[in-house]
Amino acid sequence: MARDPRFDILFEPVRIGPKTARNRFYQVPHCTGMGRGWPRTLAAMRGVKAEGGWAVVNTEYCSIHPTSDDTPYPYARLWDEDDLKANALMVEAVHEHGALAGVELWHGGGRIGNLASREPTLDLQSIPSYGDPLQSRKLDRADIADLRRWHREAAVRAHRAGFDLVYVYATHGYLLHHFLLPAYNDRRDEYGGSVENRARIVAELIEETREATKGECAVAVRFTGSNTEDGPGPAPDAIRDMLGRLGPLADLWDLVCDDYGHEMGHSRFVEEGAHADWIADARALVGKPVVTVGRYTSPDAMAAMVRKGALDFIGAARPSIADPFLPKKIEEGRPEQIRECIGCNICYSGDARGVPIRCTQNPTMGEEGRRGWHPERVPPKGSDREVLIVGGGPAGLEAATTLGERGYDVLLAEASDALGGRTTREAALPGLSAWARVRDHRLEKLTRLANVATYLDSPLDAAAVREIGRPVVAIATGARWRRDGRGRWFTAPQPDLAGGPVFTPDDLTGPDGIAGLPDGPVVLFDDDHHYMAPVLAELVAASGRPTTLVTTEGRACAWGAYTEEEARSNRRLLELDVAVVTNRAVEAFDGGRVRTACVFTGRTAEIEAAALVLVTSREPEDGLFDALAEDPAALEAAGIETLVRIGDALAPGLIAHAVHGGARFARELDLESPPILMEAPAV
């Protein structure tokens, strides 16, 4: 198919100092959970993005010296020759597909802990680390000289490794950013006081980076280009002054806002293109190519931003993770096939947990090197065996479409009148409409797969499955939320919770929805700790019912700290007048009051309630699997050779886990699975 001419502007080459990017698609620096410990895995992932059409592909934050050690988080680094060789693997993979490779040089300052190097941290003030009981030492003039030397030496290594762009990283609360901020910088020499002096270190590093790379690398600066309502930072006029002074020095400006939770905000709270209102003004100040992010997945929105002069490059982290081939699909005239980011930030959670990146939409993310998976290619079928998949949720849909692409004849049976499973139900909840993209992308694939037949309103029992008699049967029947309180806190069913109307998320996302709740106050017991209980609390509060969320954690949505939604979830609940009761478990309900107990002391208290909603844990819907598995002779007689469970029916988890489970079954069927490449994390 031919490219839509409306999008030609996105494929114009753009000059960045001594380099030229082949188009306007730019993968900004983003964390991967791999960093220095998984160099081959990382190189394979970045290389696939270059293959997919991204003209510039950058590293994550890359440390310049042992005084910038973010262990246990898996950052990149350029301390020595071994680090140079590891980074060169990524450069080679990116260059293989004609893209430019960039490195984001970084010093963490007092924000980090230096837990592995045990070097004292450095900053403008002696400030507490963000996560550890230690403080930085206040740097002096000799330290500034060292900082400049470390940065130059890292830039030299970057040049030798083959990088095309080298960053000066002056935002996100790290050391260079603190030089810019009066709240941290109280120096009285040439590095403090006036706007010019506070920005001096950035100006020096730009020029020294250019010299260190012999003028052969483009020099980019990542910089705070906007204030947000609730973020710290210099006043807007100070930002404008700094950008005007520094703008001509760099070859490219990567502009962010000063609230990281807004910059990469969860889709529950931050819309696509949230930076569009200020970026054009910032671009006019610097007079050089500008890139910024906005979770753009619509080519119309991308082209509009370029046409109105707001930016030169479409910056992306999450959209490039969800679909590494997003540029190619636009270029080849098939934008409807884009695997659109849903903004769930599961990708970000991998870095915080110290494991390779994963994605709800794209199950191949992080598996390019480990398992040899490719986002756009699958191995041909390994046999002529026909497949039956029971259940059309995220695991079943992923398995059906992937097997169909491999060439298998697939029958997909769904008991309800719609495909999508939990993604369809959850997408109807407040803030979760983007979840439907998981379903919709796979439904679009089904329109192109004549070898996959789907049947709705088709509940199957064991006899029906045996009668169909396909050699391969995958049970993808999902899971149900438990109604007995069993979860993290209570490891056994709690009969004292059954004294009144008890509901689960399945009830509130089912046909009756919120209307099924009685009038009066509602208590939600959250022992799940992610998005479900806060989202349901929003739903209940919007109905006018007095709402209380009780959690065994210290905050609502505690696991959301890994996905940048914890703080905004709690703010949203408080704004809606939801009472949040922390560090307590609901242990009894009599239909009029719930009894809670402190998780530390066991002391009890009561809350008035007409209904109790339990968000604790889920039970796999594996009855059909058990009924089939318990009679091997009947399976053999029916010609069923392979019987498996996938997704939540095997082990309940996030939607990302279900999609990955469906993908793994479909990609490995009839193939000898290679061992997973597990690189030993480096220290």
Side-chain angles (χ1 to χ4, degrees), residues 179-193:
F179 271 91
L180 307 177
L181 305 178
Y184 293 94
N185 188 347
D186 62 353
R187 298 183 67 88
R188 298 183 179 179
D189 58 10
E190 69 270 30
Y191 290 102

Side-chain angles (χ1 to χ4, degrees), residues 269-288:
F269 309 104
V270 180
E271 297 292 332
E272 178 179 332
H275 302 167
D277 57 348
W278 58 267
I279 190 65
D281 182 52
R283 180 176 179 267
L285 292 171
V286 299
K288 292 292 181 72

Side-chain angles (χ1 to χ4, degrees), residues 209-224:
T209 299
R210 195 181 309 283
E211 294 170 5
T213 59
K214 303 178 182 179
E216 295 173 357
C217 295
V219 180
V221 179
R222 207 169 206 187
F223 195 86
T224 299

Side-chain angles (χ1 to χ4, degrees), residues 9-26 55-56 100 165 218 251-252 283 288-291 306 311-314:
I9 195 171
L10 300 175
F11 295 91
E12 296 172 345
V14 180
R15 189 81 179 170
I16 314 173
K19 302 292 182 177
T20 298
R22 64 188 179 191
N23 61 42
R24 297 183 185 272
F25 292 95
Y26 189 108
V56 182
L100 303 178
L165 287 85
D251 298 312
L252 177 136
R283 180 176 179 267
K288 292 292 181 72
V290 161
V291 61
V306 177
L311 45 74
D312 301 275
F313 288 100
I314 305 300

